[in-house]
Amino acid sequence: MIFSRLHAPRAIRRARLAVASVVLASAALLAPAGAAAQGMGDPTLAQTLFEEGRRLMEAKSYAEACPKLAESQRLRPGTGTLLNLALCNEALGRTATAWGQFKEALFASKKEGNAAREAFAQEHINALEPRLSKIQLNAEGTPGLLVRIDGHDIPAAALGTPIPIDPGAHEVEATASGYSVWSTTVQVGESADLKAIAVPKLQPAPPAKPAAGPQGPATDGGSAGGGGEGLRTAGFVIGGAGAAVLGVGAVFGILAAGQAGDAEKDASLCPEKQCTPRGRAEIDAAETKALVSTIGIGVGVAAIGAGAILVLTSGRSGSEGASAASARPGAPGRVQARVVPLIGPDGGGVGVLGAF
């Protein structure tokens, strides 16, 4: 049995209960009829959920019954199912939701010519209307304003009008393109409560910060100093390596000169300036050391020079250092240098090419 939530003497409530029982008992047979014509949903699942929802309502397990009835109505809409769903929400205290569903069932019953259901729906509508709590949203003029209640958009035409709403806590949010979001929480009373919410004019949103990303010294004055430190460090590293290579080249030069001199002085190796095969081998070995020495000295000198250039350019002012570090090849003020090997038939070495 489903008891109507009407304030009436016990005898009148018993009479209404009898009417409700007749109306709802016929819902299982009549609700699918209108939906079958529409050809919607799964009739077997919809009927199963409807019957389970009715069973839970009779056991007063309304919180479990309402979702099943709502899904049954979604799968296969019917006036009988809608009336049961409205009764379930009414029992849970969702007065605005129940009122709206009874209204919808009333119109459907009139269209179907079902006087019993029409009277049943109207009776509950009359009982609920005096108890409806409402919320009124008053908004100042913000271009493109959009107001939501619990995530549901409220049409602009509804602003300033009391809107029926279920009792409880509700989240009100206002947004507009280019403006900061405003929100508040309002607690609505159980019966005949009216909450007026003033939505203020939204504040312009702060400008978005540019996305951080890798930038060179030329595009960020602050990073120019960091680039200068990098150049200075690289200059010292390259210069130090050049000094080491220069030292190796010098050692090989000394060894080459000594080996060649010993070969020429040794009468058994190079008698009368005519070297034997062994002497020729000593001379060739000396020439190889000499070539290594030439290349080492050349590379060392070039590296020391390149390191000096990097150290000197790192000492420029922020803007000049940034411009020199990122300018295109050939641009004024650009220091360009590169080390290239030089190898010829009689030896080799390195050179520094560029513009200063």
Side-chain angles (χ1 to χ4, degrees):
M1 292 290 183
I2 304 302
F3 289 89
S4 170
R5 293 167 60 92
L6 300 179
H7 302 286
R10 180 173 299 179
I12 297 176
R13 286 163 54 187
R14 286 177 179 174
R16 288 174 176 169
L17 178 59
V19 174
S21 299
V22 173
V23 173
L24 297 179
S26 64
L29 297 176
L30 298 179
Q38 302 177 34
M40 297 178 62
D42 183 340
T44 302
L45 180 57
Q47 185 67 26
T48 300
L49 290 172
F50 173 80
E51 293 175 357
E52 179 66 10
R54 288 279 293 125
R55 184 189 68 79
L56 290 169
M57 285 181 66
E58 291 176 359
K60 301 187 184 304
S61 300
Y62 301 110
E64 298 177 30
C66 289
K68 296 184 183 298
L69 292 170
E71 183 62 15
S72 177
Q73 177 68 7
R74 187 191 70 82
L75 290 172
R76 200 175 185 199
T79 308
T81 307
L82 184 59
L83 282 169
N84 279 273
L85 180 58
L87 280 172
C88 189
N89 281 310
E90 182 184 17
L92 284 177
R94 299 171 182 165
T95 51
T97 299
W99 176 79
Q101 290 168 344
F102 278 124
K103 280 277 190 180
E104 186 180 350
L106 175 67
F107 298 142
S109 298
K110 286 183 178 180
K111 186 176 179 179
E112 296 166 0
N114 191 321
R117 287 182 177 178
E118 182 180 342
F120 182 80
Q122 187 64 63
E123 182 183 24
H124 283 267
I125 290 170
N126 294 339
L128 285 170
E129 280 183 344
R131 300 164 48 201
L132 288 178
S133 293
K134 299 179 181 180
I135 187 171
Q136 181 175 328
L137 302 171
N138 303 312
E140 298 186 21
T142 300
L145 180 67
L146 176 62
V147 181
R148 297 185 180 93
I149 297 180
D150 299 330
H152 301 287
D153 294 349
I154 303 301
L159 298 180
T161 301
I163 306 170
I165 192 169
D166 290 334
H170 298 276
E171 182 76 14
V172 180
E173 181 183 80
T175 62
S177 179
Y179 292 86
S180 298
V181 177
W182 176 89
S183 65
T184 188
T185 300
V186 57
Q187 185 72 33
V188 179
E190 292 186 1
S191 180
D193 189 17
L194 174 62
K195 286 292 190 294
I197 305 299
V199 180
K201 187 174 182 179
L202 302 185
Q203 298 297 317
K209 295 182 179 180
Q215 295 180 340
T219 59
D220 187 348
S223 64
E229 287 298 322
L231 289 177
R232 181 183 296 273
T233 301
F236 282 120
V237 171
I238 294 174
V245 175
L246 180 63
V248 172
V251 170
F252 270 88
I254 295 172
L255 293 175
Q259 188 172 10
D262 291 342
E264 291 180 354
K265 293 178 180 179
D266 191 337
S268 63
L269 295 178
C270 296
E272 298 180 359
K273 303 298 182 180
Q274 296 296 322
C275 296
T276 64
R278 181 185 170 190
R280 185 68 263 173
E282 291 291 331
I283 296 296
D284 290 342
E287 290 178 351
T288 300
K289 290 183 175 62
L291 177 59
V292 173
S293 173
T294 301
I295 294 175
I297 292 174
V299 170
V301 171
I304 292 173
I309 292 172
L310 292 176
V311 172
L312 291 175
T313 56
S314 68
R316 296 186 178 184
S317 64
S319 60
E320 291 177 348
S323 175
S326 62
R328 292 185 300 273
R334 165 73 171 174
V335 178
Q336 305 176 67
R338 56 194 179 116
V339 180
V340 296
L342 300 177
I343 301 177
D346 297 325
V350 294
V352 180
L353 300 181
F356 302 86

